[in-house]
Every structure is written in C-alpha cells, then in structure tokens.
Amino acid sequence: MFDFNCLLDGSLKYNFHSHTQFCDGRAPMEQFAAEAVRRGFTHYGFSPHSPIAIPSPCNMKTSDVPLYLDEVARLRHVHRASGTRFLASMEIDFLSRSHGPACAYFQDLPLDYRIGSVHFIPSQSGEYIDVDGHFDRFRDNMSRHFRNDIRYVVNTFFDQNLEMLSAGGFDMIGHYDKIGQNASYFQPGIENEGWYVDRLEELTRAVIASGVTVEINTKAFVEHHRFFPSPSQLPALLDAGVPIVVNSDAHRPELIDASRDEAFAILDRQRRASSSKQ
C-alpha cells in the first residue's frame, strides 16, 4: 500500500484520482502521463472506475484490466527518468459486501492503492441506480426510480458509505459527501437541515474511525463551487489527524491539477485554525 503520509507537508505535487480511456476518461493514459511529467508531478495515480456487476457506460470492463495494468507498466518505463512516479489504482464502486473494494477480486489485483467510492445506490425496488454525475440525469432518476424521495436517496447514499467503511479493503475514500451537490439542486437548503447535518457528521466520525485517507476532491469547484468533503468537515478530520490529500478527479489531461491551489488554501487555513486550538 502506498503511504500517503509522505505527502502531507505539501512539498510534493501529486494527483491520485484520475480516469482513463478504459472507463470514462477523455484521453489516452499516455497523454495524462505526459502532462503530469510536463507539470513536474512527483506522483501520479491512475484510478479508472472499476469493473462493476451492473450495466454502466462509465466503468471499465473486466477484460480490460490486464491491458490497463500493462499500460501503467509501459508508462513507468517510458518515463523512468522523468522524476514522476506512476501508480496503479482503481476507484472501486461499492454496491454491497459481495461487490466492493474488500472482495477477493479487487484485493488480488496488483494495485498500489484502492479508492472506495459510492456512485450507485439501490432504489426502493432494489435496482442499483446512478446518483452521481449531471443533475439532469439525477432529476430524471429521482422521478423514474426513487419516487422523488430525496431523503431516501441521501440516507441510502450515507448508509452505503458507512457499509463500505465497515467492510474495508480500500486506502482512500472518494468524495464521501458528493450526494450533497445533486441533493441541494433538487431541494435547495437540504444540507442545512438538521437530519442531513447529523448524517454527514455520523459519516465523518466513521471515516475518522476507519483510518482511511481522505481526499479533497476538486472536480466540481470551477462549475459548482464545491469541494468534497465539505470544508465544514475539515476541522474534525484535521483534529483527528486524518491523512488528507488533494485530488482533481481528472477526466482530461488539462485538469490534472484543477483547483489544486484553492483547495490547499482552504486546507492550510483550517490547519492553522486547528493548530491554534491546541
């Protein structure tokens, strides 16, 4: 497992969450690698959406996994003198204890680290439905699959993350409160409601207890002015000594360090505030 603690002083340039041509990335891995080298990254992790047991246009095929791992090895060789260390990972979808980061298939893959994320939740009828991505699709799914019950969707998303943390098998949790973005577009103000705050804080406590690394995911900052997790959760995470890294969740090479400076500015302010309390 990669030790993320070596990055916490902020002196190294990295991104551990990026996608590839094997999932929904918008360019070949070699273009991402060349951009990482050009920008002087010390570490660059590829993390395609894992194979999944339900239909999904965004997840890689099981048959492509050997090709993906071979491409990481090839890029390491091509750029061996660059000073950039390339790592192999996956963003592994959690559906249940029988399909998630802890299952034997993902544990047996030669990955440097594993990201655990929730993108799909079961509807009231038990069908797994995407709650990530563009709001137009989310709004359509709300009426078609979730009976427009936003409280059910939010609670189930948090429950899935809690179950994933309990099952384990991953090193970093991905965008663990991302449901707040689409939920707040569907029902403005929902994130200020007491029950929502309680659920998010419950999840943050479970993240702290799990010992996993947390990413500040910057993908939505430019368009939606959001980081995941919400900066409101940073004091608790920092006070508990949770390792925190900044990832761009890049789907295009030009976005491998998108909004990195803004995220580090918030993180540094929170770290100073946390230190001043001690």
Side-chain angles (χ1 to χ4, degrees):
M1 184 189 81
F2 182 80
D3 181 8
F4 293 101
N5 286 292
C6 70
L7 307 168
L8 300 185
D9 66 358
S11 64
L12 303 178
K13 192 170 184 179
Y14 59 81
N15 183 29
F16 291 97
H17 192 156
S18 72
H19 295 280
T20 76
Q21 72 266 31
F22 293 108
C23 59
D24 59 349
R26 303 299 185 181
M29 289 167 61
E30 61 186 354
Q31 291 185 21
F32 286 91
E35 189 68 8
V37 170
R38 187 184 74 82
R39 297 195 191 195
F41 277 59
T42 58
H43 300 78
Y44 193 84
F46 294 105
S47 57
H49 291 289
S50 68
I52 195 169
I54 59 175
S56 169
C58 297
N59 290 71
M60 72 188 305
K61 300 175 182 177
T62 303
S63 59
D64 283 339
V65 171
L67 300 176
Y68 160 64
L69 294 172
D70 286 347
E71 181 64 357
V72 176
R74 186 185 74 83
L75 292 170
R76 286 171 175 162
H77 179 74
V78 169
H79 297 288
R80 60 191 181 280
S82 68
T84 303
R85 180 180 175 186
F86 292 99
L87 299 114
S89 179
M90 283 185 188
E91 185 177 16
I92 303 170
D93 276 288
F94 179 86
L95 300 181
S96 66
R97 285 182 177 266
S98 61
H99 186 97
C103 76
Y105 172 76
F106 294 115
Q107 289 298 302
D108 290 342
L109 291 175
L111 301 174
D112 295 300
Y113 61 96
R114 294 161 181 81
I115 301 174
S117 294
V118 173
H119 299 94
F120 302 85
I121 66 169
S123 69
Q124 293 93 329
S125 63
E127 181 183 6
Y128 280 88
I129 304 297
D130 175 21
V131 293
D132 196 71
H134 294 293
F135 177 65
D136 288 345
R137 185 174 71 232
F138 180 86
R139 180 173 53 198
D140 181 57
N141 285 339
M142 284 296 301
S143 62
R144 292 181 58 202
H145 300 286
F146 294 115
R147 307 171 191 169
N148 284 320
D149 188 346
I150 189 61
R151 190 157 177 163
Y152 169 85
V153 168
V154 170
N155 276 322
T156 305
F157 178 87
F158 286 142
D159 287 344
Q160 287 288 97
N161 273 276
L162 288 167
E163 186 73 5
M164 179 176 71
L165 286 164
S166 175
F170 60 100
D171 310 298
M172 181 186 300
I173 189 166
H175 45 62
Y176 73 79
D177 65 345
K178 194 176 182 184
I179 194 63
Q181 178 176 302
N182 278 331
S184 66
Y185 284 139
F186 187 83
Q187 183 177 307
I190 191 172
E191 291 172 282
N192 297 320
E193 295 181 11
W195 69 271
Y196 182 98
V197 174
D198 289 345
R199 291 307 316 266
L200 177 54
E201 291 180 350
E202 176 191 8
L203 180 53
T204 294
R205 289 193 296 271
V207 168
I208 291 169
S210 73
V212 299
T213 295
V214 169
E215 67 167 7
I216 298 180
N217 187 301
T218 68
K219 179 185 175 184
F221 185 74
V222 170
E223 184 176 357
H224 302 281
H225 310 292
R226 283 180 171 270
F227 292 124
F228 308 110
S230 165
S232 68
Q233 302 307 297
L234 290 179
L237 294 168
L238 289 169
D239 288 348
V242 173
I244 299 175
V245 297
V246 175
N247 291 330
S248 74
D249 197 348
H251 288 65
R252 301 177 186 275
E254 64 270 22
L255 298 177
I256 61 173
D257 61 354
S259 303
R260 175 185 176 85
D261 291 343
E262 293 88 343
F264 269 109
I266 290 176
L267 184 57
D268 288 344
R269 286 198 298 272
Q270 292 287 359
R271 280 177 171 152
R272 288 196 297 272
S274 179
S275 297
S276 68
K277 294 187 301 183
Q278 297 176 358

